Amino acid sequence: MSARDAILAKLKGAAPDKAAADALLIAPERPAVDTGALEAEFLARLALPSVSASHDAIDTVADLPAAVARYLAAQGEPHTLCLPRDPRLSACDWSGFTLHEAAAPDEVATLAIARLGIAETGSLVFETAPQAPMLPNFLALHHIVLLAVEDIAAHLEDAPLVGAQPRAHYWITGVSGTTDIEGTYVRGAHGPRFLHVILLRGAVG
Amino acid sequence: MSGFTDRVDLALADRILKVAVERTAGTAEAKRAVAVDAFPDFEAARDRAAAIKDHVVAHLGAYLEQFEAKAIAAGAKVHWASTADEACRIVIDICKAAGAKSVARSKSMLGEEIGLPHALAEAGIGRVETDLAEHIIQLADERPSHIIWPAMHKTREQVSALFKAKHRSPHEEETIAAMAESARRELRTQMLGADVGISGANFLIADTGAVCTVTNEGNAELSLVPPRVHIVTAGIEKIVPSMPHAIHMLRMLARSATGATLTQYTTFYTGPKRADDRDGPEEMHIVLVDNGRTKMREEGLAEMLRCIRCGACMNHCVVFRQIGGHAYGGTYPGPMGAVLTPVFDGLKQSRELASACTLNGKCQEVCPVRIPLPTLLRGWREKSWREGLEPTSMRWGLGIWAWVARRPALYRFGTGVAVRVMQILGKKGWISRLPLAGGWTRYRDMPKPAPQTFMNQYKKGRRT
Ligand code: SF4
């Protein structure tokens, strides 16, 4: 008998009742979020010590390069950027920047568009796609994220996609941190040491 | 003296160990308390978490089949392993077929449980541990001493010396930040050059076939995105019906483990990379591992299959805080380890673990899925007595029920580890703070005097 058959033979039983599984999710206990003030709620979570992301705001996507330049200058970093091949980003005027698509092992900064922001936790939601690589977001020292204010949702339950799933659906809630030496918190264990969110008041396009 | 008693003696005499364990476990305890206070109705949330897991365990076979079908549809290959050896063999075969010289591994307790580091070494495959703590213990050639902080037993001074001896360009400044930076430098290129990435799973999502990992360091993603092959080894109990179920469990896991509202990096991987994706592995393999779990379900340990490996029970355990994780001798330390180790290593070798417990009930009080750990530990004690595994001297005069019923007997039971820990706590003036007497009566399911005698009830029943 194969291991599969042996295991399943021991686990024979009634098929799960979808209604019973769904009933386990009625009115879940979760942090309260003021749905009338999602932006303020989201920004409050971003500021928590466990997330400690900085933020800026712009009115249109055309303002994005200036906001990125502002951030990098404030950090004393060169205007060098890993930019995914996303038409919404390439449409901007990046003159003055040195751009590249693949992240270097010692990448300084990368830019990505979040599909959603989650007010409950201050999380940013991403999915892999041809225009959205994953590695740069985990490699660069500065992770810069564009998020449309209209894409801020209340709870984590708002994040899952319905239907076909991408290779990776991921939530980022802060920077790469560790407490592995004596429980002391250190930022930038492996990946980003800084997370900077640029809120877009208009639509991403 | 047995191995366990020896290890406990060594641990109790080790002042440095106590400082190290206390620093991390103490912080974890305090942070969890703040997070739980801030959460609305944490007690009801624990009930829900336990109910979700019980539902899954009751329908485990059907959920596994659903998960398998969805994962295959997404392009993953699903493998099944009844034993630890079988699981390792499957992983090694995949690595060999991929021509792998090195693997990047993202911390997984299941990997430790099945002995994967050892199996990789035997197969001559290089291993890069990417979690900082696992990296520390790999350099030190030790085993994890905690399921969340595997290097909890090491002080900063010890880590510093280790990195200076082993890193190519070690830190100069004696700060924890500089040490972490040294590891970052050391690991980055190794991680990016690995042929295979191996992870565990925090959750398996039945209705999408996704595998969920959570890390604070982002090392799982760095280990799993660049290599051509991604292998997941997961215990069969990791299933949840859907993402929303996983979300409830993730809220509980983060708060119970580190006191955060959510772990920094939470990723759901569904199959290998899609045709036009810019990165991601070309192959994804998922190894579903039984290794005693179906037996636990059948033989009275189904509640233990609720465990989400948060580590809260050990952080709050007075014995763990005194002896650290290595003294337990198994893969899993602390109260949950004392329940699990007899499953993996046999009761004969590990029967003393259950008696190293003060039964103060603290572990059960903080467990996010309400596992009745003291009751399960007592179950092992009883089995050990039934099977005659206790030393003869211990069996004399103390009937199997007498020791349960008589509290002083408990303190003399077994190796007396609990007693020695108590003595230490007593000397430090801690004992008054421990809810010992209360804990005993509150959490033991000692036969409670019935409000009426059986005969009275019987007669009443007959009358109606
Ligand atoms: S037994 Fe409970 S408290 Fe301990 S690790 Fe498992 S889930 Fe966490």
Side-chain angles (χ1 to χ4, degrees):
Chain A
M1 200 170 14
S2 72
R4 180 183 188 277
D5 294 346
I7 293 169
L8 289 176
K10 286 202 211 151
L11 298 174
K12 270 211 186 77
D17 179 354
K18 172 114 174 54
D22 291 347
L24 293 164
L25 296 172
I26 298 169
E29 303 73 25
R30 57 189 186 182
V33 170
D34 178 356
T35 48
L38 285 177
E39 183 183 333
E41 290 269 36
F42 177 76
L43 290 178
R45 300 318 194 290
L46 269 193
L48 290 175
S50 56
V51 185
S52 61
S54 52
H55 71 274
D56 195 354
I58 54 176
D59 291 324
T60 68
V61 185
D63 301 330
L64 184 59
V68 174
R70 205 158 48 232
Y71 172 75
L72 290 175
Q75 297 291 323
E77 299 287 5
H79 288 189
T80 301
L81 194 62
C82 174
L83 193 75
R85 208 189 287 167
D86 186 314
R88 295 168 297 179
L89 296 175
S90 353
C92 298
D93 176 7
W94 293 101
S95 45
F97 280 86
T98 310
L99 301 178
H100 47 276
E101 196 203 335
D106 57 350
E107 189 64 54
V108 173
T110 195
L111 179 62
I113 303 178
R115 180 171 68 82
L116 285 179
I118 304 293
E120 171 192 346
T121 49
S123 303
L124 297 154
V125 177
F126 301 89
E127 272 112 24
T128 48
Q131 74 283 3
M134 184 168 176
L135 189 60
N137 296 344
F138 291 85
L139 212 49
L141 195 62
H142 298 269
H143 187 201
I144 308 172
V145 179
L146 179 68
L147 172 68
V149 168
E150 63 180 27
D151 292 333
I152 299 177
H155 286 107
L156 291 168
E157 281 85 349
D158 299 314
L161 290 166
V162 182
Q165 302 294 307
R167 149 70 182 165
H169 165 102
Y170 55 104
W171 309 336
I172 293 186
T173 315
V175 295
S176 167
T178 181
T179 50
D180 279 344
I181 306 175
E182 290 189 355
T184 301
Y185 180 62
V186 177
R187 295 165 63 110
H190 288 297
R193 187 167 293 155
F194 306 94
L195 175 63
H196 183 65
V197 178
I198 300 174
L199 286 179
L200 174 65
R201 307 259 184 234
V204 180
Chain B
M1 262 201 306
S2 72
F4 178 59
T5 321
D6 291 344
R7 290 193 300 271
V8 167
D9 283 341
L10 279 175
L12 287 177
D14 186 342
R15 311 300 312 168
I16 294 178
L17 174 71
K18 233 163 306 210
V19 171
V21 170
E22 204 47 41
R23 279 177 185 168
T24 305
T27 310
E29 182 180 7
K31 283 191 182 164
R32 177 198 170 275
V34 173
V36 165
D37 277 351
F39 192 80
D41 216 349
F42 196 70
E43 291 310 306
R46 291 172 71 207
D47 291 338
R48 184 186 300 274
I52 289 173
K53 291 297 293 194
D54 285 349
H55 169 81
V56 167
V57 172
H59 303 285
L60 195 51
Y63 276 127
L64 283 166
E65 284 185 276
Q66 187 189 7
F67 171 81
E68 179 190 41
K70 292 287 180 179
I72 291 172
K77 291 204 173 64
V78 178
H79 311 256
W80 300 71
S82 291
T83 63
D85 286 349
E86 211 175 336
C88 285
R89 206 159 49 236
I90 292 168
V91 173
I92 301 297
D93 286 349
I94 298 168
C95 289
K96 283 186 175 158
K101 290 193 178 53
S102 77
V103 305
R105 210 172 78 96
S106 172
K107 176 174 103 59
S108 141
M109 288 314 298
L110 183 96
E112 301 291 335
E113 175 193 314
I114 61 175
L116 194 53
H118 180 71
L120 287 165
E122 277 204 329
I125 299 168
R127 170 173 60 99
V128 186
E129 291 293 345
T130 61
D131 173 79
L132 178 58
E134 290 279 346
H135 170 64
I136 293 170
I137 62 164
Q138 183 179 23
L139 291 184
D141 198 18
E142 290 173 359
R143 295 186 69 183
S145 68
H146 189 284
I147 63 173
I148 301 287
W149 293 279
M152 178 189 256
H153 57 284
K154 288 236 170 301
T155 60
R156 74 181 75 187
E157 294 80 10
Q158 291 171 320
V159 173
S160 174
L162 194 61
F163 284 3
K164 286 201 164 138
K166 309 261 175 154
H167 282 174
R168 286 165 294 184
S169 53
H171 57 290
E172 283 169 10
E173 220 183 297
E174 286 302 323
T175 62
I176 289 176
M179 293 174 210
E181 183 65 28
S182 177
R184 179 186 171 110
R185 274 195 304 273
E186 183 75 19
L187 286 171
R188 180 154 291 215
T189 45
Q190 292 184 40
M191 224 164 5
L192 296 176
D195 303 308
V196 171
I198 304 183
S199 71
N202 289 89
F203 301 99
L204 303 171
I205 317 296
D207 71 350
T208 62
V211 171
C212 173
T213 63
V214 303
T215 69
N216 287 313
E217 297 178 17
N219 62 302
E221 290 78 1
L222 281 174
S223 311
L224 305 177
V225 178
R228 203 181 63 73
V229 179
H230 173 190
I231 306 174
V232 180
T233 56
I236 52 174
E237 84 286 9
K238 293 287 181 187
I239 292 261
V240 288
S242 71
M243 284 264 285
H245 293 91
I247 287 169
H248 185 76
M249 305 310 288
L250 285 162
R251 288 192 182 109
M252 304 302 285
L253 175 61
R255 287 173 175 83
S256 304
T258 62
T261 52
L262 191 67
T263 313
Q264 270 84 347
Y265 297 103
T266 306
T267 299
F268 297 84
Y269 304 92
T270 314
K273 81 187 267 255
R274 308 296 184 257
D276 297 323
D277 279 356
R278 311 300 293 180
D279 52 22
E282 279 155 36
E283 287 176 34
M284 181 184 192
H285 297 264
I286 303 164
V287 187
L288 298 172
V289 184
D290 180 349
N291 200 31
R293 286 162 176 77
T294 48
K295 200 162 178 279
M296 284 168 67
R297 185 171 173 271
E298 283 163 6
E299 296 182 4
L301 285 174
E303 287 154 319
M304 197 61 218
L305 295 174
R306 291 180 195 156
C307 178
I308 55 172
R309 310 287 193 257
C310 74
C313 56
M314 54 200 79
N315 295 337
H316 291 76
C317 172
V318 290
V319 176
F320 179 89
R321 294 272 282 260
Q322 290 297 316
I323 66 175
H326 285 153
Y328 289 81
T331 301
Y332 301 98
M336 56 83 85
V339 175
L340 284 172
T341 302
V343 176
F344 304 128
D345 298 353
L347 183 57
K348 195 157 192 266
Q349 283 76 27
S350 52
R351 57 164 191 82
E352 289 164 303
L353 294 178
S355 46
C357 169
T358 66
L359 297 174
N360 73 0
K362 199 69 190 147
C363 50
Q364 171 170 291
E365 235 171 79
V366 296
C367 175
V369 284
R370 292 199 190 282
I371 299 174
L373 292 155
T375 307
L376 299 181
L377 285 171
R378 215 199 51 204
W380 280 128
R381 289 183 179 183
E382 290 176 9
K383 193 166 175 2
S384 176
W385 273 82
R386 272 199 313 275
E387 295 183 357
L389 302 176
E390 297 303 322
T392 358
S393 58
M394 199 57 63
R395 298 183 67 85
W396 267 10
L398 280 177
I400 190 161
W401 294 108
W403 70 262
V404 180
R406 287 172 50 217
R407 220 180 90 211
L410 171 76
Y411 296 133
R412 285 197 301 273
F413 183 77
T415 62
V417 169
V419 184
R420 275 177 291 154
V421 168
M422 299 279 201
Q423 283 162 349
I424 287 169
L425 295 179
K427 267 189 224 142
K428 287 186 176 169
W430 279 25
I431 215 115
S432 59
R433 290 201 276 126
L434 291 171
L436 286 175
W440 172 253
T441 44
R442 209 158 10 129
Y443 293 103
R444 299 289 58 62
D445 49 354
M446 298 245 302
K448 235 201 340 227
Q452 304 176 62
T453 66
F454 170 74
M455 283 313 289
N456 273 345
Q457 282 175 344
Y458 177 73
K459 279 181 205 152
K460 243 204 206 154
R462 291 265 302 241
R463 242 182 277 135
T464 50

